[in-house]
Each structure stands twice: as structure tokens, then as C-alpha cells.
Amino acid sequence: MKYLQFTALSFILVLSACQSTAPDPLPKKIVGQLKVGFDVDDTILFSRENFILAPHLSDDPDHVDYGWINTHDSLYSVTIQPIAELIGFLRSQGHEVYFITARPGVNGDAVARHLSHELGFPVTVGDNLFFSTKEKDPLTGNKYTTKHRTISQLGLHIFFGDADNDMVAAAVAGVRGVRVVRDPRSIEAYSKNYFGDLLSEHTDSSPYSMETYQKFLSMGVGPYGETIYPIYLNPDSTRALSE
Ligand SMILES: [Mg+2]
């Protein structure tokens, strides 16, 4: 009996010793390292043509075939070089970069492959690329962003995006939101969700004209108190994409 007890105790001690030398499963925090998030459409990719050409699945203008869109960035989307350079700069300083898009994740691996090809480092779904689709309030029918959840789960410090929703998500998650100035062609194509709606009549939900928009850009601050990242200061200029 004593021999059995001794054997069991030895076994437990060996297990304990193994546990104490096992690697820490939690990721190590690196002092000074930032985790920086980026939206995809109109932030790292100018994808207007991809969306315009995408098949529609119903008469609802928002009901486009995202499975098609996610596999056609290589043909129809243009990488926004100033943001690609910013990402390269951040990575060169040892910071981590993540992408969070509201696109549905069908064929999401194709988006990851495209971003990897364009940016020159591995982008993988669930590792540094996340599909965080909007949800609908069952009572009001209003759609709302869910990006704040992903921002919080990843522990990001800064989030770059072009849309009002991106700034709301950053604010709700408690991180710094930075507004990437939208290409003028995208303002024309998708004026909603950008400073309210820059092209609509003056209403409570869309109080800003193009003139007041220019004031925001010149002062470097947006309506949610966000910082402006000025890659398209002149709304008539598209040089940033063509260079
Ligand atoms: Mg966007």
C-alpha cells in the first residue's frame, strides 16, 4: 500500500514539475508595442469599382454579393498607398497591425491573400483579419456596427477608418479613432455614413455641407472628436491613388 502511495505521489510531483516548465499560454505583452487596427474599404482598399460591378442578390441596393466582392479585389480594388506606407512604418517600429471589415466573411480567405500580396506580409483570417458584420436592432430595424467588439477583444490602441461607424466603434471600444479621408469618388458614390451624409439636404442627421467638411479637414478633427488622417486634403485631387 505504501509503495502505491509513493508511486502516486511521485507521479503527481512529476506532473507538477512538467506544469511549472510548460510555456505560458498567454501572449506576452511587449512594452511600448501598439496594436493598430484598420478598416478595409476606403481605408486600405479603394474598392468602389469592385462594389459597383458586384452582382446584386435582390432589389435592395445594399444586398450585394459579398462572396463575389471578396474574390475580386485583385481585379477591381486599388491599394491606397499612403495607408500602405503608414502600415509599413508601424510594422517597422515593431507595432502590430490588424484589419477589421464590416464585409461578410464569405470567401474571406481571398481578401487575406490579396492584402498579403499587396502589403508584403502574411494576412490571415482570424489572426490579423476579422469580418465584423453589422447587426440589426430587432425593435427599430436600425443597423449598427459590431467592430467595437473586435477592437476590444483584440485590445487595440488605435483604429483607422473612413466611416462614421468606424469612429463610433472606436469611441465605444475606448480607443483613439483616426478618420482616413475618403476619396472624393467614394464620397460621390457612398455619401451616407460619412459626416452624416455629405451630399444630402441639411437635416439633423446630416448637418454638414462640403464647405463645413473642408473646415473639419483643415482643422484636423472630425465630428466625433476624431483625428483626421489627411491623404485627400483637396477633394478634387485623386493624385494619391494614381501616383
Ligand atoms: Mg470603410
Side-chain angles (χ1 to χ4, degrees):
M1 189 65 186
K2 275 191 173 177
Y3 175 75
L4 275 178
Q5 283 177 333
F6 176 76
T7 306
L9 185 61
S10 302
F11 185 63
I12 290 167
L13 285 173
V14 167
L15 275 183
S16 304
C18 288
Q19 273 187 333
S20 65
T21 56
D24 184 353
L26 295 174
K28 295 275 190 301
K29 282 190 176 177
I30 299 175
V31 175
Q33 184 185 57
L34 291 174
K35 291 184 166 188
V36 186
F38 289 83
D39 167 51
V40 171
D41 295 300
D42 275 320
T43 298
I44 182 59
L45 294 180
F46 176 61
S47 48
R48 186 189 68 138
E49 192 174 0
N50 197 0
F51 277 75
I52 287 174
L53 294 173
H56 280 71
L57 299 174
S58 74
D59 291 337
D60 180 346
D62 293 332
H63 196 194
V64 290
D65 186 346
Y66 278 97
W68 190 94
I69 286 173
N70 287 345
T71 53
H72 285 74
D73 284 307
S74 57
L75 285 177
Y76 302 121
S77 295
V78 178
T79 299
I80 299 172
Q81 284 306 317
I83 299 300
E85 287 167 10
L86 169 64
I87 288 170
F89 167 69
L90 291 168
R91 284 173 47 80
S92 77
Q93 303 300 307
H95 304 308
E96 290 186 346
V97 168
Y98 298 83
F99 299 97
I100 305 175
T101 176
R103 290 188 192 183
V106 55
N107 297 334
D109 285 338
V111 181
R113 282 195 299 275
H114 181 66
L115 290 174
S116 301
H117 175 264
E118 291 295 296
L119 299 172
F121 63 89
V123 177
T124 311
V125 177
D127 180 12
N128 52 0
L129 170 61
F130 296 87
F131 293 86
S132 193
T133 54
K134 289 180 184 175
E135 292 180 358
K136 188 186 276 189
D137 185 320
L139 288 178
T140 63
N142 290 338
K143 285 186 176 178
Y144 58 89
T145 180
T146 62
K147 287 182 181 178
H148 58 285
R149 294 183 201 147
T150 312
I151 292 171
S152 294
Q153 285 162 3
L154 290 170
L156 299 187
H157 300 100
I158 311 174
F159 188 66
F160 287 77
D162 64 295
D164 292 352
N165 280 346
D166 293 319
M167 299 305 101
V168 170
V172 173
V175 310
R176 173 180 288 272
V178 182
R179 177 91 68 155
V180 173
V181 176
R182 196 177 272 183
D183 185 289
R185 291 167 290 179
S186 290
I187 296 176
E188 196 178 312
Y190 315 109
S191 58
K192 288 181 183 173
N193 199 16
Y194 195 67
F195 290 70
D197 180 347
L198 274 178
L199 300 185
S200 82
E201 294 176 4
H202 186 282
T203 63
D204 284 349
S205 60
S206 298
Y208 306 119
S209 65
M210 287 301 286
E211 187 181 16
T212 52
Y213 170 60
Q214 288 302 318
K215 288 182 186 170
F216 277 110
L217 297 194
S218 64
M219 299 304 288
V221 64
Y224 294 93
E226 71 272 21
T227 306
I228 300 283
Y229 199 75
I231 57 174
Y232 298 114
L233 264 183
N234 179 350
D236 297 323
S237 169
T238 55
R239 277 187 307 149
L241 284 178
S242 59
E243 281 176 352

